[in-house]
Amino acid sequence: MNTQLDFLVIGGGIAGLSFALKAAEKGTVGIITKDDAKESNTSYAQGGIAGVWNEPDSIDKHIADTLDAGAGLNNKTIVEIVVREAKDRINELIEWGTQFDKNASGAYDLAKEGGHSDNRILHHKDITGKEIIRALFSAIQKHPNIKILQHHFAIDIITQHHLGIKITRKDSGVETYGAYVLNKKTKEINTVLAKNVIMATGGAGLAYKVTTNPLIATGDGIAMAYRAKAEVRDMEFVQFHPTSLHNPGSFPSFLVSEAVRGFGAVLKDQDGKEFMNKYDERGSLAPRDIVARSIDAEMKIHGVDFMYLDCTNLNMKKFKAHFPNIYTKCKSLGIDPAFDFIPVVPAAHYTCGGIVVDEHGQSSIKGLYAIGECACTGLHGANRLASNSLLEAIVFSHRAFLKASEIISEETIAVNVPQWDASGTEAPEEMVLITQSQREVQGIMSSYVGIVRSDLRLKRAIERLEILYREVEELYEKTTPSQKLCETRNLINIAYLIIKFASNRKESIGLHYSLDYSK
Ligand code: FAD
Ligand code: SIN
């Protein structure tokens, strides 16, 4: 890889790829992905992308729904920006080749999901993310200025710290010069210098045992930025998707899109009775935090591990056309949605918090931008509205591109940056210790920092996490970095941030629900 770049993009989901396509018109771009290039949360997105398309929907309604879901903790200016810019950015996805489904009259088939007061979700069947990634990759592959390096793992971003200058969280002059990147095949750690680093590393679902996120979602970008002293916020707001398919032993948990409820499916208990109206007048289509908490409560009342989604009264011909992936998955497990209820259970799904950025995607570290799920723009507040995530990613990749390209000519590549210092480290004695530590983090977070929390549970969580933290830091000091070790370290960092932010919030709001502060 050219180790001197104008733009180093860490991450190949919708955020990183859409940024790269634009930035490549202004300079050299390197994209690194830690796994196969197409393995990202984006590739698993089902329901679609929200955007006001035509009347009777309106910008005001989408803004109101986003604020309502976010319990008013959203940044209103950002909500307005994202909702207003949605159509232009979605049109760009279409120009790059994304095919969104249309109805018989040739208009876009706009779906509905929880918390939306109108039909405004553009989708490609129930595999919207896969289709977006297909289109973006085919555009990227034609671009001579973009180099993609898959199976390259970013360990840390480079700052003054690596030049031997002490920096603290209070310093405002921290800047980044690039990143140390592990080539997983050669095991070398490269120094990649760049004028701008664009963090597009996605979420952190792997902090929990049950998650819809694929293995890549270990919160690396948030942890790297936090270690580099960037401001991080809203980490207590971990979104659990209400309806992942209950299929113990499978990983990741297969999602049964909220759009299925938008299509008319209803949640039922073990006796076949609807229960959501007890909790919210919007029933099965209430915002996610409410539905996930209600399912959790019902599972506890009934002493069971799952609830049901009833699709049996739906038009199956249309259901199969819209949700072929979900239909096929259910059938493969012997569940026929036409006749059987689908067993569902909440699963960790989305990280609302992350690296704090301004309206141009700029973090508190000079030269570091954050876009997509790893960023905290203020759009989501205490709970993300369904299908606002893909939207946020493309709006902010555009804004970050505008800002970064405006100032790129004034920026220089840093000199005198040292190579990675591997002295005093050796290969790990037993990988199983690392694997086990990761499982323990997931166990702590699932037992004590899930959908329902309390001060006591959070105290227990932090005490147990501290032991793991010490063990893994000790291991890290003496071991040559491997992806697994770095990811485990990052997950411990993420868990710490979630617990710390949760402990500081003395109220129940949105996705943070505490027994000590419930009404
Ligand atoms: P991702 O798409 O997750 O990409 C992250 C990239 O970063 C990957 O390429 C990964 O390899 C790379 N990376 C991470 N760490 C490192 C590292 N250390 N070094 C190198 N590379 C690294 N949202 C919606 O709006 N609508 C939906 O319908 C929807 N459905 C969803 C369904 C599922 C099952 C899931 C899991 C999520 C869904 N979401 C949906 C959420 C949405 O998909 C994600 O928030 C969004 O795709 C995140 O995009 P991203 O570009 O920020 O990150
Ligand atoms: C879904 O299809 O239910 C996921 C939508 C989202 O997470 O925004």
Side-chain angles (χ1 to χ4, degrees), residues 254-321:
F254 182 83
L255 189 72
V256 182
S257 173
E258 193 154 298
V260 172
R261 277 174 281 135
F263 192 77
V266 284
L267 286 159
K268 294 197 167 164
D269 65 18
Q270 309 284 325
D271 302 321
K273 290 201 192 107
E274 286 187 41
F275 59 86
M276 270 311 301
N277 289 330
K278 279 198 292 189
Y279 298 94
D280 192 286
E281 61 187 14
R282 289 163 288 188
S284 293
L285 272 180
R288 260 178 214 175
D289 55 335
I290 298 170
V291 182
R293 216 158 37 241
S294 309
I295 294 179
D296 188 64
E298 289 291 317
M299 289 187 338
K300 284 176 180 143
I301 292 168
H302 292 265
V304 292
D305 294 334
F306 55 88
M307 287 284 121
Y308 284 115
L309 192 61
D310 178 4
C311 303
T312 56
N313 287 325
L314 306 181
N315 177 327
M316 266 304 133
K317 192 164 169 241
K318 286 191 178 161
F319 182 92
K320 281 187 218 170

Side-chain angles (χ1 to χ4, degrees), residues 114-156:
H116 287 274
S117 57
D118 218 319
N119 287 47
R120 64 170 74 100
I121 321 285
L122 284 100
H123 64 97
H124 180 93
K125 305 192 184 331
D126 54 357
I127 48 166
T128 308
K130 201 170 169 192
E131 167 61 11
I132 291 174
I133 289 292
R134 181 201 61 73
L136 290 176
F137 263 101
S138 96
I140 289 240
Q141 268 149 9
K142 293 179 201 134
H143 217 298
N145 259 0
I146 305 178
K147 175 125 181 126
I148 300 194
L149 283 186
Q150 46 184 359
H151 303 289
H152 279 66
F153 181 87
I155 298 174
D156 260 324

